[in-house]
């Protein structure tokens, strides 16, 4: 089972359409436990679904459907009769794992919840470093809703990734475990090699997520 802190309404899109298969099993973190981890700074506790504006679920579903329709059309154009017979009803089975065709662009929008801009927030998630070092200290990393996101295709939509920046390098020893991040949120378009984000957070505090 892939461990996730993502709202249940969106999770099927990421897992059904080639999401991370490398997560470890364990208890699913539940943001209803947020009351047990209240910050003293008065930060607004968020769930991942709070980063999605109204109607974004439907937009995301349409984008995925359109992508796979186009993908199947391209596959059909390149198939011979033997491949078509093998494919039966699922053309996507012709894509070999690890092949050049076994890739997927980031799907989603930069639509954001405008009220989050400038807000001091607290959000649980998994850390995806943008670089690695021997001391496990990072000044920039991505926060994502489920384990392995951005390391396996496809990455979550831009409005389900938070680009985190810290003035001081922050030590994160166990990337397999979720954390709480806290800081001021900013909306916009923030790019990285592992995935683009519609949110940036200036980190003021990071601590382990306690189940």
């Amino acid at each position: 089972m892939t461990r996730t802190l993502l709202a249940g309404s969106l999770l099927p899109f990421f897992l059904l359409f080639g999401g991370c298969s490398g997560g470890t099993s364990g208890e699913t973190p539940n943001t209803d436990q947020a009351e047990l981890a209240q910050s003293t700074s008065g930060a607004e506790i968020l769930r991942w679904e709070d980063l999605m504006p109204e109607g974004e679920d439907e937009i995301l579903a349409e984008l995925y459907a359109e992508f796979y329709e186009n993908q199947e059309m391209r596959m059909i154009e390149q198939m011979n009769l033997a491949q078509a017979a093998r494919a039966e009803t699922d053309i996507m089975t012709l894509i070999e794992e690890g092949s050049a065709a076994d890739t997927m662009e980031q799907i989603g929008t930069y639509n954001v919840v405008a009220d989050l801009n400038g807000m001091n927030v607290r959000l649980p998630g998994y850390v995806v470093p943008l670089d690695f070092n021997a001391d496990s200290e990072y000044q920039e990393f991505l926060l994502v809703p489920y384990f392995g996101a951005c390391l396996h295709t496809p990455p979550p939509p831009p409005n389900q990734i938070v680009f985190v920046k810290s003035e001081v390098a922050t030590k994160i020893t166990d990337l397999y475990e979720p954390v709480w991040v806290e800081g001021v949120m900013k909306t916009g378009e923030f790019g990285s090699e592992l995935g683009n984000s519609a949110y940036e957070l200036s980190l003021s505090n990071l601590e382990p997520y306690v189940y």
Side-chain angles (χ1 to χ4, degrees):
M1 180 178 66
T2 301
R3 298 197 298 179
T4 177
L5 294 91
L6 182 65
S9 60
L10 296 174
L11 177 59
F13 292 120
F14 304 142
L15 300 188
L16 177 62
F17 296 128
C20 168
S21 60
T24 57
S25 60
E27 182 181 355
T28 301
N30 184 349
T31 48
D32 288 338
Q33 296 180 357
E35 291 79 3
L36 303 178
Q38 289 279 2
S39 72
T40 58
S41 64
E44 182 73 18
I45 294 176
L46 299 180
R47 306 167 191 233
W48 283 94
E49 61 188 5
D50 296 330
L51 276 59
M52 304 286 279
E54 186 175 353
E56 193 71 6
D57 293 28
E58 291 78 9
I59 293 174
L60 187 58
E62 292 176 2
L63 290 174
Y64 270 109
E66 181 181 353
F67 172 85
Y68 275 93
E69 182 178 348
N70 292 337
Q71 186 86 331
E72 289 193 359
M73 290 301 297
R74 288 193 295 269
M75 292 291 296
I76 290 172
E77 292 172 357
Q78 299 172 15
M79 280 194 308
N80 57 39
L81 292 178
Q83 289 175 322
R86 280 175 46 214
E88 296 180 346
T89 59
D90 188 0
I91 294 173
M92 304 304 289
T93 60
L94 293 177
I95 298 179
E96 296 182 8
E97 185 174 356
S99 69
D102 186 25
T103 59
M104 189 168 173
E105 62 191 55
Q106 185 176 22
I107 295 175
T109 76
Y110 287 92
N111 297 336
V112 296
V113 177
D115 289 347
L116 295 179
N117 192 42
M119 183 180 292
N120 187 31
V121 303
R122 183 175 174 85
L123 178 70
Y126 290 88
V127 170
V128 179
L130 296 175
D131 60 357
F132 289 86
N133 63 69
D135 296 325
S136 300
E137 295 181 341
Y138 309 101
Q139 284 188 267
E140 295 184 347
F141 59 87
L142 302 180
L143 188 78
V144 295
Y146 57 91
F147 176 81
C150 300
L151 300 179
H152 304 271
T153 57
N159 50 20
Q160 287 289 279
I161 297 177
V162 177
F163 183 77
V164 180
K165 300 179 66 175
S166 176
E167 291 186 4
V168 183
T170 302
K171 193 171 187 67
I172 305 171
T173 56
D174 191 350
L175 299 177
Y176 292 91
E177 293 297 329
V179 298
W180 286 100
V181 299
E182 188 171 315
V184 176
M185 188 81 89
K186 181 168 67 174
T187 59
E189 297 185 13
F190 312 98
S192 76
E193 293 183 357
L194 297 180
N196 299 319
S197 173
Y199 294 96
E200 180 183 274
L201 184 137
S202 297
L203 186 68
S204 59
N205 186 44
L206 182 147
E207 59 189 67
Y209 181 98
V210 179
Y211 293 95

